[in-house]
């Protein structure tokens, strides 16, 4: 361990585990939650939380919940009512209808927080648009984008890993996916951070207001973009927005479903992928022997296919080891049992992906980064009917961004301590200043 991930004593881990409350998390937990996760997995894998929900840390328990979508619902109407629909936000000028706040409308219309039939309809349309061909079509542009960023960094001799590299990639890629004009992309990242940030367990009134405003502005922007695209459709083979507008097999989305799911798509691919790239490059700082081995494996790979295979294993291990999305949620629709514990109907469940991905029952030496790990069935993208719809794109971005970065700057090093995002759900860094040599 290094200054990037501070160590935590077993005593401190036990202390935090004993009083864990997602609404009030200590800074040392946010810097390194893994000792606390390990403690919970060993002592209380189905943990009852102060707000009445349960917190799961075992890989096998997460699998069981992800696979049984009948019993474990993704619908969030019940939780998001009190979270987002209270005065003054449902009465503010930007309320979408009397009594409905923007964040409430957004998060309850997006596919990830819905069950069938809405989930099935939106997912089918989306997956019809995120085809292999659409993703392959993006690879050359992605390589060019990454190389341009690397040229600019080289000219300056360094920069910030997050600002100048990791976060600059997904915004362009998802922008390309929906064919958002380049001149309009400026506000996308801010909107996205504010809307997803509003999912954190505890929110200040300012954060909530920013989230509402961001949904309103984003919706207004997309409405114009959709109107324009209806008049001038793009090529549905790789313009995902045109495909979403035209629908799948005669089935189309309503205007609200279309706008809110485009917002979700733009958001889902941003922070998560930024954090995959940023976390990976910081892991390489923290694990120098793994870094040397990766460089050697890339150097000795006989061709590009072999290099992609090396990078594919590495990306999966970065995703396992520092999962960008650490928490998921479900609600029990019937009395049930998880990990041998009986849960009543209505129980709220937090799936701790970060903990499951380091479960020794599933992985050999789970607390060690092993970039050659085989058979890595991590849960960074979830599983079951809601498994990440963009996982192929995220992995492609990871392979190209991380691979080209380390090959261009094999001696890159941090020049100041990196700053963590300080969030429980989305794990990543805000900044990480570095020099190329
Ligand atoms: C490293 C990057 C990423 C990670 C770690 C990640 C993680 C996840 C996870 C854990 C879920 C499941 C949520 C649940 O079951 O409750 C999910 C769903 C989803 N993700 Fe990703 N994601 C990433 C990148 C992307 C990208 C690039 C896109 C879009 C192009 C995307 C689009 C989606 C969509 C649409 C869903 C909802 C699927 C559904 O509910 O059926 N994600 N993602």
């Amino acid at each position: 361990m290094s200054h990037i991930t501070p160590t935590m004593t077993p005593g401190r881990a036990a202390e935090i585990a004993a009083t864990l409350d997602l609404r009030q998390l200590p800074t040392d937990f946010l810097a390194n939650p893994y000792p606390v996760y390990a403690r919970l997995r060993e002592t209380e894998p189905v943990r009852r939380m102060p707000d009445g929900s349960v917190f799961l840390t075992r890989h096998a328990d997460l699998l069981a919940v992800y696979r049984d979508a009948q019993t474990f619902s993704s619908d969030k109407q019940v939780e998001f009512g009190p979270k987002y629909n209270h005065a003054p936000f449902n009465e503010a000028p930007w309320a979408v209808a009397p009594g409905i706040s923007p964040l409430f409308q957004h998060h309850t219309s997006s596919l990830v927080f819905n069950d069938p039939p809405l989930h099935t309809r939106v997912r089918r349309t989306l997956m019809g648009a995120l085809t292999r061909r659409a993703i392959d079509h993006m690879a050359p542009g992605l390589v060019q984008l990454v190389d341009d960023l690397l040229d600019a960094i080289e000219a300056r001799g360094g920069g910030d890993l997050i600002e100048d590299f990791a976060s600059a990639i997904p915004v362009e890629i998802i922008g390309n996916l929906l064919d958002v004009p380049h001149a309009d992309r400026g506000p996308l990242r801010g909107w996205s951070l504010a809307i997803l940030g509003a999912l954190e367990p505890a929110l200040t009134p300012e954060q909530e207001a920013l989230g509402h405003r961001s949904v309103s502005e984003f919706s207004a922007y997309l409405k114009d973009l959709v109107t324009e695209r209806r008049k001038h459709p793009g090529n549905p083979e790789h313009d995902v927005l045109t495909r979403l507008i035209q629908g799948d097999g005669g089935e189309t989305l309503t205007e609200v479903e279309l706008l809110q799911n485009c917002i979700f798509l733009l958001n889902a691919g941003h922070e998560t992928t930024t954090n995959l790239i940023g976390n990976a490059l910081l892991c390489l700082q923290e694990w120098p022997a793994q870094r040397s081995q990766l460089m050697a494996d890339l150097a000795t790979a006989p061709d590009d296919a072999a290099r992609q295979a090396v990078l594919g294993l590495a990306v999966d291990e970065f995703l396992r080891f520092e999962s960008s999305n650490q928490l998921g949620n479900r609600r029990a629709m019937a009395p049930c049992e998880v990990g041998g514990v009986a849960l009543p109907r209505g129980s709220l469940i937090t799936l701790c992906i970060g903990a499951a991905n380091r479960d020794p029952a599933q992985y050999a030496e789970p607390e060690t980064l092993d970039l050659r790990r085989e058979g890595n069935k991590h849960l960074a993208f979830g599983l079951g009917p809601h498994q990440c719809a963009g996982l192929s794109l995220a992995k492609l971005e990871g392979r190209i961004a991380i691979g080209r970065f380390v090959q261009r700057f094999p001696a890159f090093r941090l020049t100041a301590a990196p700053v963590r995002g300080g969030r429980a759900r989305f794990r990543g860094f805000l900044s990480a200043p570095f020099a190329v040599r």
Side-chain angles (χ1 to χ4, degrees):
M1 290 276 173
S2 72
H3 62 288
I4 300 176
T5 308
T7 46
M8 183 183 283
T9 63
R12 177 66 182 148
E15 189 187 337
I16 299 178
T19 55
L20 190 70
D21 184 343
L22 296 182
R23 296 164 300 186
Q24 295 172 322
L25 290 166
T27 325
D28 51 349
F29 171 85
L30 293 170
N32 181 11
Y34 302 109
V36 178
Y37 293 161
R39 170 85 189 176
L40 286 172
R41 239 182 0 244
E42 283 155 23
T43 58
E44 207 181 348
V46 183
R47 170 61 184 281
R48 289 197 185 279
M49 302 293 276
D51 65 357
S53 63
V54 292
F55 189 83
L56 306 184
T57 45
R58 275 198 307 226
H59 193 275
D61 294 340
L62 266 75
L63 278 190
V65 171
Y66 275 133
R67 285 183 172 147
D68 184 358
Q70 199 88 350
T71 307
F72 301 104
S73 164
S74 289
D75 190 295
K76 300 285 185 293
Q77 299 269 347
V78 175
E79 295 101 294
F80 288 169
K83 189 171 171 85
Y84 299 130
N85 229 3
H86 51 82
F89 297 114
N90 58 8
E91 291 163 3
W94 60 73
V96 282
I100 300 186
S101 74
L103 277 172
F104 181 79
Q105 185 186 53
H106 169 66
H107 284 308
T108 55
S109 321
S110 71
L111 78 163
V112 75
F113 297 139
N114 270 282
D115 296 329
L118 187 141
H119 173 258
T120 319
R121 202 170 69 248
V122 178
R123 173 131 186 150
R124 193 181 307 134
T125 311
L126 203 61
M127 293 313 281
L130 285 172
T131 55
R132 169 114 240 151
R133 192 191 294 213
I135 290 172
D136 287 349
H137 182 78
M138 305 186 80
L142 180 52
V143 168
Q144 188 60 53
L145 166 68
V146 167
D147 286 353
D148 289 347
L149 292 171
L150 296 176
D151 288 346
I153 288 170
E154 184 158 25
R156 290 195 307 266
D160 190 294
L161 278 179
I162 311 302
E163 278 301 312
D164 299 325
F165 190 64
S167 71
I169 298 165
V171 67
E172 289 300 316
I173 292 308
I174 305 281
N176 290 348
L177 203 65
L178 294 187
D179 208 4
V180 174
H182 281 273
D184 297 350
R185 293 184 188 181
L188 293 182
R189 182 163 180 241
W191 285 335
S192 164
L193 291 178
I195 296 169
L196 284 188
L199 291 172
E200 284 295 301
L203 278 185
T204 63
E206 292 73 31
Q207 287 169 323
E208 186 177 349
L210 183 65
H212 288 301
R213 227 179 19 251
S214 300
V215 174
S216 300
E217 291 173 5
F218 210 156
S219 305
Y221 171 71
L222 278 175
K223 205 170 161 63
D224 291 345
L225 188 71
V226 166
T227 306
E228 193 52 36
R229 199 64 53 86
R230 280 193 206 279
K231 280 194 228 147
H232 307 288
N235 178 352
E237 286 294 332
H238 36 77
D239 173 12
V240 170
L241 184 54
T242 297
R243 193 109 177 197
L244 289 175
I245 291 171
Q246 292 177 349
D248 187 72
E251 221 169 23
T252 49
L253 304 180
T254 66
E255 186 79 357
V256 170
E257 287 167 1
L258 176 66
L259 296 182
Q260 299 309 321
N261 281 288
C262 282
I263 292 182
F264 177 73
L265 196 59
L266 282 154
N267 290 344
H270 262 177
E271 202 175 352
T272 46
T273 316
T274 298
N275 291 349
L276 160 62
I277 300 166
N279 291 346
L281 294 174
L282 284 157
C283 274
L284 291 176
Q285 288 284 306
E286 207 162 22
W287 297 80
Q290 284 294 309
R291 175 176 168 166
S292 308
Q293 186 192 75
L294 177 67
M295 298 311 295
D297 288 349
L298 288 173
T300 52
D303 53 26
D304 194 53
R307 259 190 307 281
Q308 293 309 312
V310 168
L311 287 166
L313 284 187
V315 164
D316 273 317
E317 179 66 349
F318 291 129
L319 283 163
R320 178 193 76 81
F321 195 71
E322 284 285 17
S323 306
S324 13
N325 186 349
Q326 293 263 311
L327 305 176
N329 296 96
R330 294 293 187 267
R331 172 184 288 273
M333 300 303 282
C336 56
E337 203 184 275
V338 178
V341 175
L343 300 179
R345 178 170 187 272
S347 298
L348 284 176
I349 299 169
T350 299
L351 304 164
C352 185
I353 295 172
N357 277 345
R358 293 194 184 201
D359 186 342
Q362 177 68 25
Y363 308 99
E365 299 196 45
E367 306 289 344
T368 299
L369 181 81
D370 173 5
L371 298 178
R372 286 179 176 170
R373 193 181 291 273
E374 299 274 357
N376 186 348
K377 294 198 171 80
H378 64 75
L379 294 174
F381 293 117
L383 202 81
H386 286 276
Q387 188 179 38
C388 180
L391 67 87
S392 305
L393 179 57
K395 287 185 182 196
L396 178 76
E397 289 181 63
R399 286 197 306 273
I400 293 178
I402 299 161
R404 296 186 89 77
F405 186 98
V406 296
Q407 286 176 290
R408 177 79 82 94
F409 304 132
F412 82 99
R413 60 178 176 84
L414 292 182
T415 50
V419 179
R420 282 197 181 274
R423 310 239 205 122
R425 189 173 292 274
F426 296 103
R427 183 163 176 78
F429 293 86
L430 294 177
S431 83
F434 78 105
V436 298
R437 51 184 77 81

